Amino acid sequence: MTQTLRLAFLGCGAISKFHLLGIRDGAPQIQVTAAIDVDGTRAQAVAVETGARAFTSFDEALAWGGFDAVDLMLPHDLHEEFALRSFEAGRHLLLEKPMAPDLAACARILEAARKSGSVFMVAENAQYWPEVIQVRELIEAGAIGEPETARGNFFVPPLADYYGGERAWRLDQSLAGGGIAIDTGSHWLRPLRIWMGEIDEVVAGLGRPLERMEGESLVRALLRFRSGKLGVFDGMLTAAARGPEPLFRVTGTEGEITVEGLGDVMLYDANHRRGERIGERGGYMKSYAGEFADFARAVTEGTAPAAGPEESLGELRAALAMYRSAETGRWQKVSE
Ligand SMILES: NC(=O)c1ccc[n+]([C@@H]2O[C@H](COP(=O)([O-])OP(=O)(O)OC[C@H]3O[C@@H](n4cnc5c(N)ncnc54)[C@H](O)[C@@H]3O)[C@@H](O)[C@H]2O)c1
């Protein structure tokens, strides 16, 4: 019989709804037993949906004790404190990205994880995004010859759930650690890294079209991969009408693959000059099921997750290098 994994939601805000869907679709062995949020209404809402107990502090939930793992979904400035406390309490940890907003904090979290022996995963759902996996398989099968360049772009509205109301931490640079590059950008940088390899250096410019946000709400970056090949990473928060543009393009010597917003992977090659849809329609929302299935397996069966937590440092380092580049006006090595 499959072992049940008792999970505590620490933070019951916007992303917790997607995590519930991921658990439902991908990891029925997970039972959410604790719903923790300083906002008791949000904790209660998750409790009602899952049958969990609601708490307004991690301390109270720990005193009760009925969970094996923590799903940490707090503002970025709180990741380190509560990750360390989770490991100290002997719990496994699924930590929302970024691991922490700075590399020194990430090093401390990784060290604490190592000492604890707990399972530790950073929740980068793009790793499990069906289209991302499909594009990787197409590239590996030689569908576009040698990939020469890739582009990822996300132009997304500043939804009230994330950028409005009382949940204004994303607007505050000291709490978020930056703007969209360090936050949503990770879900575009991970696929680019999966397809093109590690990023070596970046040159970037930032803008703040969303004036109430301290960090960047516009980023334009040129990436040079270790292979020497070039890529582009663009993002903007905008509610304005826009023309069509794929989320990703990977252009090779013999064709191009695009990922369209509705979950279609299109292949353009000598036989399909107008493009052919490859496979079933997927969708970003399907990525969470794979993430939770992987985490549950890692805890209950001891398997290695598709990507270790260190992998997420690649996106963080790239975002931090973009910030240095915007200040200096020069290419910046990602490894610095
Ligand atoms: N993978 C994705 O697609 C994705 C999407 C959105 C957010 N995220 C990540 O999820 C995390 C949370 O983002 P969000 O959008 O859900 O934020 P949010 O503001 O909607 O939710 C955070 C919750 O934490 C609660 N909280 C704050 N301090 C607390 C404390 N000390 N103890 C308990 N609860 C506390 C707040 O009341 C709030 O409900 C961030 O790391 C973010 O980057 C990931």
Side-chain angles (χ1 to χ4, degrees):
M1 205 181 95
T2 316
Q3 194 188 325
T4 299
L5 168 57
R6 300 173 307 162
L7 186 65
F9 270 20
L10 178 50
C12 299
I15 190 61
S16 68
K17 298 183 189 84
F18 299 159
H19 282 206
L20 282 177
L21 288 179
I23 291 168
R24 189 196 65 193
D25 295 342
Q29 70 271 48
I30 292 182
Q31 198 185 339
V32 181
T33 54
I36 311 159
D37 200 299
V38 284
D39 180 334
T41 320
R42 288 187 199 152
Q44 197 57 45
V46 170
V48 166
E49 200 165 336
T50 58
R53 286 202 193 199
F55 299 94
T56 51
S57 82
F58 193 40
D59 283 327
E60 282 172 32
L62 281 173
W64 172 63
F67 55 93
D68 315 300
V70 173
D71 179 4
L72 201 161
M73 299 173 274
L74 297 174
H76 301 166
D77 64 311
L78 297 176
H79 284 198
E80 180 183 5
E81 176 188 345
F82 285 91
L84 297 189
R85 294 192 60 201
S86 301
F87 294 134
E88 271 163 30
R91 298 316 200 271
H92 305 293
L93 180 65
L94 179 66
L95 170 57
E96 261 299 346
K97 41 51 64 173
M99 190 186 303
D102 71 88
L103 292 167
C106 293
R108 291 189 290 270
I109 294 172
L110 283 166
E111 176 62 7
R114 196 187 55 74
K115 281 191 182 148
S116 74
S118 298
V119 170
F120 174 37
M121 236 176 88
V122 172
E124 180 43 75
N125 52 298
Q127 182 74 36
Y128 310 91
W129 192 349
E131 292 92 299
V132 171
I133 295 167
Q134 209 181 346
V135 172
R136 191 197 66 213
E137 289 169 355
L138 283 167
I139 292 172
E140 285 169 359
I144 55 166
E146 178 66 19
E148 283 297 332
T149 186
R151 173 176 184 168
N153 85 92
F154 61 105
F155 284 67
V156 292
L159 296 175
D161 254 10
Y162 297 92
Y163 297 93
E166 293 163 18
R167 290 180 251 187
W169 63 267
R170 273 194 176 81
L171 306 181
D172 184 330
Q173 176 95 14
S174 68
L175 305 182
I180 56 173
I182 204 173
D183 188 4
T184 310
S186 72
H187 311 312
W188 269 253
L189 289 165
R190 174 69 62 95
L192 292 170
R193 294 175 61 223
I194 288 174
W195 303 326
M196 300 295 290
E198 206 51 82
I199 302 167
D200 181 37
E201 55 182 354
V202 304
V203 64
L206 307 175
R208 292 183 50 233
L210 191 68
E211 285 175 14
R212 65 177 195 277
M213 179 161 157
E214 286 176 2
E216 78 287 353
S217 41
L218 169 66
V219 54
R220 295 270 198 198
L222 199 53
L223 320 173
R224 198 187 324 272
F225 297 95
R226 281 190 191 156
S227 61
K229 307 228 161 115
L230 290 171
V232 176
F233 167 78
D234 285 331
M236 181 179 175
L237 289 175
T238 173
R242 295 187 59 246
E245 167 78 5
L247 302 180
F248 295 100
R249 287 178 186 280
V250 188
T251 313
T253 49
E254 291 169 33
E256 182 170 70
I257 304 166
T258 65
V259 177
E260 310 291 327
L262 290 175
D264 292 327
V265 172
M266 301 292 294
L267 174 64
Y268 298 79
D269 63 10
N271 298 324
H272 312 96
R273 299 205 79 86
R274 288 163 173 254
E276 181 194 21
R277 192 170 99 186
I278 305 291
E280 291 303 305
R281 184 166 278 182
Y284 182 78
M285 295 308 291
K286 293 196 176 153
S287 58
Y288 298 99
E291 176 177 290
F292 278 91
D294 208 15
F295 182 64
R297 262 195 314 269
V299 174
T300 61
E301 297 171 31
T303 52
E310 296 85 357
E311 196 65 30
S312 70
L313 299 181
E315 291 89 53
L316 178 62
R317 284 180 186 282
L320 296 174
M322 288 175 206
Y323 297 161
R324 291 197 303 277
S325 174
E327 274 186 17
T328 59
R330 293 175 185 281
W331 283 93
Q332 293 290 321
K333 289 283 182 194
V334 163
S335 59
E336 273 165 27

